[in-house]
Amino acid sequence: MANLKEIRNRIASVSSTMQITSAMKMVSAAKLKKAQDAITAMRPYADKLTELLQSLSASLDADSGSMYADNRPVNKVLVVAITSNRGLCGAFNTNILKQCVSIVENTYAGKQVDFVAIGKKSNDILSKKHTVIGNHSDVFDDLTFDNVALIAEELMLLFTEGTYDRIEIVYNKFKNAATQLVMTEQFLPIVPVEGAVANNSDYIFEPSKIEIVEQLIPKSLKTQLYKSIRDSFASEHGARMTAMHKATDNATELRDQLKLTYNQARQAAITNEILEIVGGAEALNN
């Protein structure tokens, strides 16, 4: 059994860790509220805009279709991996990296798959074995639509120039503070909706479908990427809050066990001292 000083040091260390994890939990909870409100507010708009975009793109003739809907043979794929800049958030980053590996080894086996990293964790890990053509970890320092739009424009240019035949986004979708869903969404080419042509009777296009597509598609793609990053941002704080809550509970349990061990060791030490005193007294009497 460890001596009393070692146990006291461990109790102090665990208590200090518990204070840190508890503080991180409260900080993440405060940030989560703001991030959750932001993604909840923009989801209906983003989803409806994407639906309209897909419906419109599906109705265009092949010779007048958008360059963003060019569904060519897939040989080169670009994956946008959205993670966090910091750790201590459970399996949040690990799940994204596992999905990226699955895309390389299973979904597009034998194809050229490169990455764009949004988040330091994805850049640090993926760059060891794969090609990372861009790192936009600084976007979280000032997460605005304008900053994300610049990244989306780079991705659109890579597709329209033929550098990549398909671009996909891998991110954590926010469900609640304890649950994040790993999503893989096709960014380009645009995925048409089945039956979209028949539904176009509900829309009146002015001035024309082509002109609307030229303005709507870039805006929709930028919104899609922004929504994905916002989803990941909210998921990160939810995952970190949950992880720190569990860490605090574990630290509390460990501290209580150490205190029990300390009391038992202290009691044993006192008992031994009493026995020694009694034994010495009896030796003197004899």
Side-chain angles (χ1 to χ4, degrees):
M1 181 179 295
N3 60 45
L4 295 178
K5 183 178 180 181
E6 291 177 348
I7 298 176
R8 282 199 303 268
N9 290 338
R10 290 191 63 190
I11 292 174
S13 176
V14 172
S15 298
S16 177
T17 300
M18 185 177 65
Q19 292 176 352
I20 295 173
T21 56
S22 179
M24 292 182 66
K25 172 190 170 183
M26 290 187 290
V27 170
S28 293
K31 291 182 178 180
L32 172 62
K33 181 63 170 64
K34 183 178 180 180
Q36 182 178 352
D37 291 344
I39 186 59
T40 302
M42 76 167 297
R43 254 186 200 159
Y45 169 78
D47 293 343
K48 189 62 181 178
L49 184 60
T50 300
E51 177 187 339
L52 178 61
L53 166 67
Q54 293 173 333
S55 176
L56 180 58
S57 299
S59 68
L60 294 175
D61 297 332
D63 57 349
S64 61
S66 169
M67 57 184 174
Y68 299 112
D70 184 11
N71 198 0
R72 48 185 179 259
V74 178
N75 294 313
K76 294 178 292 184
V77 180
L78 182 64
V79 177
V80 181
I82 305 176
T83 58
S84 66
N85 285 340
R86 298 183 296 126
L88 298 178
C89 48
F92 174 83
N93 293 315
T94 303
N95 291 337
I96 295 298
L97 296 173
K98 286 182 178 178
Q99 181 65 14
C100 290
V101 172
S102 177
I103 290 175
V104 173
E105 297 180 351
N106 300 319
T107 308
Y108 296 109
K111 310 289 186 181
Q112 177 186 335
V113 181
D114 297 335
F115 292 91
V116 167
I118 299 179
K120 291 180 181 178
K121 293 300 179 180
S122 57
N123 180 66
D124 293 345
I125 301 300
L126 293 174
S127 59
K128 294 180 179 179
K129 295 184 178 180
H130 306 283
T131 301
V132 178
I133 66 169
N135 177 21
H136 299 283
S137 303
D138 57 345
V139 72
F140 291 111
D141 297 335
D142 186 16
L143 186 52
T144 62
F145 180 82
D146 291 337
N147 290 336
V148 174
L150 296 176
I151 303 175
E153 289 172 358
E154 292 179 12
L155 298 177
M156 288 185 280
L157 185 62
L158 289 172
F159 178 79
T160 56
E161 289 182 343
T163 305
Y164 293 96
D165 304 312
R166 182 166 296 177
I167 300 178
E168 297 196 352
I169 305 174
V170 181
Y171 68 99
N172 280 294
K173 182 178 181 179
F174 179 81
K175 184 175 182 181
N176 53 54
T179 306
Q180 300 83 37
L181 306 176
V182 178
M183 303 294 293
T184 302
E185 293 182 355
Q186 183 169 314
F187 185 68
L188 287 169
I190 298 167
V191 181
V193 178
E194 294 183 3
V197 176
N199 292 333
N200 277 330
S201 58
D202 297 335
Y203 301 109
I204 298 176
F205 301 103
E206 178 67 31
S208 67
K209 291 181 181 180
I210 301 299
E211 293 180 57
I212 291 175
V213 163
E214 291 177 352
Q215 298 183 22
L216 180 62
I217 287 183
K219 182 179 179 65
S220 176
L221 291 172
K222 294 173 184 177
T223 302
Q224 180 185 353
L225 182 61
Y226 183 58
K227 180 183 74 71
S228 300
I229 297 178
R230 271 289 178 189
D231 251 318
S232 180
F233 190 61
S235 298
E236 175 192 348
H237 292 305
R240 182 171 289 108
M241 186 186 74
T242 302
M244 292 301 99
H245 175 72
K246 293 180 180 178
T248 302
D249 289 345
N250 291 337
T252 302
E253 182 180 352
L254 179 57
R255 184 194 60 180
D256 293 342
Q257 291 177 352
L258 288 171
K259 285 185 176 180
L260 179 60
T261 302
Y262 175 80
N263 291 333
Q264 291 174 342
R266 186 168 177 269
Q267 185 178 24
I270 293 173
T271 302
N272 288 334
E273 290 179 2
I274 293 175
L275 291 175
E276 290 176 359
I277 293 172
V278 172
E282 290 181 353
L284 291 176
N285 292 333
N286 294 331

